Amino acid sequence: MTSSETNIITRFAPSPTGYLHIGGARTALFSWAFARKHQGKFLLRIEDTDRERSTEDAIQAILSGLDWLHLTPDAPPVYQHQNIERHREVIEQMLSSDLAYKCTCTKDALDEMREKAKAEGKPIRYDGTCRNKLSVPDDLPFTVRFKASPEGATILEDLVQGYVTVENNQLDDLILLRSDGTPTYNLSVVVDDHDMGITHVIRGDDHLTNAVRQSQIFDALKWSRPAYAHIPLIHGPDGAKLSKRHGALGVEAYKDMGFLPEAMRNYLARLGWSHGDDELFSTEEFINWFDIAAIGKSPARLDMEKMQATNIHHIQQGNEDILADIVMERLALSQESKAKLMSALPMIKKTAKSLDNLIDNLRFLFLARPIELNDKALQSLTEDKLVNVRNVFPALQKLEAWDEDGIANFFGQFMEENELKLGQFGPVMRNMLTGSGSPLGVYDLLLLLGKEESLARLEDVLSN
Ligand code: GLU
Ligand code: ZN
């Protein structure tokens, strides 16, 4: 690792105009992972300069989305609108060092300019009318424009896209300050990225042209540019740019659908980045493996089935403490229930088909007696099966060794003596113990419920 790598600072810079969508979450994840990998810092900047469109709800959605994904910034968020004076100060500095100029062209004049260019089949650009004026009248409204060099080219060495070259004569003089006194997006981003010491800007490739503009401003100010990595946007399964139609929802929605944060990080990581053939990995592995050079140049497609499969993997492999917290929240369980939950999780998580399914399969543990049997369970209570349960019950009451071996030996002996098969009493007992069936076998259920509760549940049905 070189010394410059030890000071890596990345940022995620969402505009709070909507929820944290899946593309934003991936940008945040890559920026976060890159910082983690290089022991750098990951910062959050809320780009809320558009006061009309920015909302407090959107800010909260972004913060809670990041929090849920455990993409924790290393410093309190920077709110871009609070830096507006600093942005104006830089514009002043650019005016006084001839890097910018005041433009007093009216809207009508600009419209006319545009129409004329269109009619002549020329590119629509500001024609530089005010560029070389020595002074402008004080009382006219003005914008401030960047005095971009008309010669040469601006070259961007993007870590994903490679070299991007734009002839400077293709770019017109960008507005830095609007006539209402508000700085524009590209100027604000440059100043903030500079002031925050950002070394690597990782974001969607819809910002690639902005990056060229931003590079010009960095160069003009003689500030060193950050490295840029523009990631291809995520596409839907049909190959079109991701939209709501494809289920491009806020990360909250994925939380509600039962995705684990670990699974989301895994799946999002694979959207555009790869490490050999590895599909399923931990966040630790991802951080260790992450490399901007391994980000693909073509857009990744969102695949719900793969996303579900990733989730199932992480539930089945899941850390039981983390799973327990999620289940306790969903089932509104008290802390006292945790021990019981923890005893069942290792067995049940392996059978899980989804988070909802995991939770459903754990519910039986916390039911109050007498438990309700669903229709299917009730229908299974046929006399030919119940008689076997009745027969085994007194002996089961006497069983001392209520553990894995004890229970298995007990039933082994019972079946042998009575020439019975497990199918002749197991499934029905399973329904009596759970009310709705279970992916676990009856021995496991007896073990998890404990002797007292198991016998009581069986008796509730037998005595009815
Ligand atoms: N605020 C911009 C957005 O939400 C991102 C700006 C940036 O990453 O430079 O698209
Ligand atoms: Zn002008």
Side-chain angles (χ1 to χ4, degrees):
M1 199 183 286
T2 66
S3 65
S4 67
E5 271 182 339
T6 57
N7 297 318
I8 276 169
I9 305 179
T10 63
R11 72 351 178 238
F12 175 49
S15 304
T17 54
Y19 47 58
L20 175 62
H21 57 82
I22 203 157
R26 184 191 60 166
T27 299
L29 175 71
F30 284 9
S31 304
W32 174 84
F34 190 67
R36 281 291 89 83
K37 168 154 184 166
H38 298 283
Q39 288 91 45
K41 283 202 172 82
F42 167 65
L43 304 180
L44 173 63
R45 182 171 71 232
I46 305 285
E47 303 209 315
D48 56 354
T49 51
D50 186 339
R51 304 307 288 155
E52 310 257 281
R53 292 182 59 224
S54 300
T55 69
E56 191 52 41
D57 280 355
I59 293 176
Q60 285 316 318
I62 292 165
L63 296 176
S64 65
L66 290 176
D67 190 54
W68 177 63
L69 286 167
H70 297 280
L71 304 179
T72 314
D74 294 305
V78 169
Y79 290 88
Q80 189 164 55
H81 87 273
Q82 291 175 349
N83 296 340
I84 189 164
E85 283 312 320
R86 167 69 179 148
H87 301 157
R88 289 194 184 117
E89 180 189 304
V90 172
I91 294 167
E92 277 303 320
Q93 186 189 320
M94 291 177 79
L95 278 171
S96 58
S97 46
D98 202 30
L99 298 173
Y101 61 92
K102 291 181 180 176
C103 167
T104 52
C105 295
T106 61
K107 189 178 171 296
D108 287 348
L110 293 172
D111 285 345
E112 203 176 305
M113 207 181 285
R114 213 168 290 131
E115 287 310 316
K116 189 162 162 257
K118 225 190 261 174
E120 292 170 6
K122 288 185 184 159
I124 298 163
R125 273 185 232 136
Y126 177 66
D127 67 1
T129 303
C130 300
R131 192 175 165 110
N132 296 312
K133 282 184 188 162
L134 290 175
S135 69
V136 294
D138 272 348
D139 52 348
L140 288 182
F142 64 88
T143 59
V144 174
R145 288 184 184 270
F146 179 49
K147 203 167 190 174
S149 162
E151 274 117 48
T154 301
I155 300 169
L156 185 73
E157 188 189 348
D158 191 87
L159 298 176
V160 175
Q161 311 285 338
Y163 283 98
V164 178
T165 305
V166 178
E167 298 298 327
N168 288 338
N169 63 18
Q170 298 298 305
L171 299 167
D172 61 2
D173 292 346
L174 189 75
I175 294 178
L176 304 174
L177 188 77
R178 297 183 192 90
S179 56
D180 66 0
T182 57
T184 55
Y185 165 73
N186 279 307
L187 183 278
S188 303
V189 167
V190 166
V191 175
D192 288 349
D193 281 342
H194 169 76
D195 289 358
M196 290 165 75
I198 303 303
T199 60
H200 290 73
V201 170
I202 303 172
R203 62 186 171 193
D205 68 5
D206 50 336
H207 285 287
L208 194 59
T209 45
N210 284 329
V212 175
R213 297 290 202 168
Q214 291 167 16
S215 299
Q216 288 187 312
I217 302 173
F218 270 107
D219 295 354
L221 286 162
K222 299 201 162 50
W223 291 346
S224 62
R225 301 182 196 176
Y228 289 103
H230 287 91
I231 334 163
L233 298 182
I234 301 168
H235 284 195
D238 58 357
K241 222 178 102 177
L242 197 64
S243 68
K244 280 191 191 156
R245 181 169 56 86
H246 294 114
L249 308 164
V251 294
E252 301 286 299
Y254 292 94
K255 177 184 177 187
D256 294 343
M257 281 188 264
F259 284 93
L260 298 184
E262 177 90 3
M264 280 300 276
R265 290 192 296 269
N266 182 163
Y267 183 70
L268 289 174
R270 283 286 295 111
L271 278 179
W273 169 86
S274 57
H275 178 263
D277 293 331
D278 294 305
E279 293 291 348
L280 302 168
F281 40 80
S282 69
T283 302
E284 282 303 297
E285 287 171 318
F286 172 52
I287 293 169
N288 286 331
W289 295 340
F290 185 64
D291 182 2
I292 292 176
I295 295 174
K297 276 195 191 187
S298 45
R301 291 186 188 196
L302 190 70
D303 178 341
M304 276 309 275
E305 252 169 63
K306 207 162 141 189
M307 198 166 166
Q308 297 281 11
T310 307
N311 197 39
I312 292 170
H313 168 85
H314 284 280
I315 292 169
Q316 294 186 349
Q317 305 283 311
N319 173 302
E320 280 137 31
D321 260 307
I322 295 174
L323 289 175
D325 286 343
I326 295 171
V327 175
M328 297 216 306
E329 194 191 317
R330 286 279 201 102
L331 292 180
L333 299 174
S334 64
Q335 276 300 324
E336 288 89 82
S337 310
K338 187 158 178 178
K340 206 198 270 186
L341 188 58
M342 292 297 281
S343 69
L345 266 172
M347 270 185 233
I348 300 219
K349 73 176 187 183
K350 288 200 206 102
T351 71
K353 306 267 180 296
S354 68
L355 188 60
D356 283 342
N357 176 250
L358 174 80
I359 291 167
D360 281 343
N361 290 339
L362 285 161
R363 253 178 240 280
F364 79 96
L365 281 170
F366 306 100
L367 299 174
R369 284 188 40 238
I371 66 166
E372 214 176 295
L373 272 63
N374 69 14
D375 287 347
K376 216 171 145 211
L378 283 171
Q379 280 158 19
S380 72
L381 304 181
T382 53
E383 198 42 46
D384 61 318
K385 305 264 165 53
L386 275 179
V387 71
N388 296 326
V389 182
R390 262 191 214 103
N391 286 342
V392 80
F393 191 76
L396 195 56
Q397 277 179 309
K398 291 193 201 94
L399 177 64
E400 296 286 338
W402 202 275
D403 53 36
E404 204 181 320
D405 289 343
I407 292 171
N409 291 337
F410 170 84
F411 281 101
Q413 207 180 329
F414 171 73
M415 286 188 284
E416 206 177 292
E417 284 168 7
N418 295 280
E419 291 183 16
L420 285 173
K421 293 208 170 70
L422 190 58
Q424 289 167 281
F425 62 91
V428 80
M429 274 179 84
R430 206 155 61 182
N431 289 336
M432 293 163 83
L433 292 168
T434 61
S436 56
S438 169
L440 299 185
V442 65
Y443 301 170
D444 288 336
L445 295 174
L446 290 166
L447 190 65
L448 291 174
L449 284 167
K451 182 172 179 178
E452 199 184 329
E453 180 72 15
S454 299
L455 292 172
R457 288 189 186 192
L458 295 174
E459 197 166 22
D460 284 341
V461 181
L462 290 178
S463 63
N464 215 308

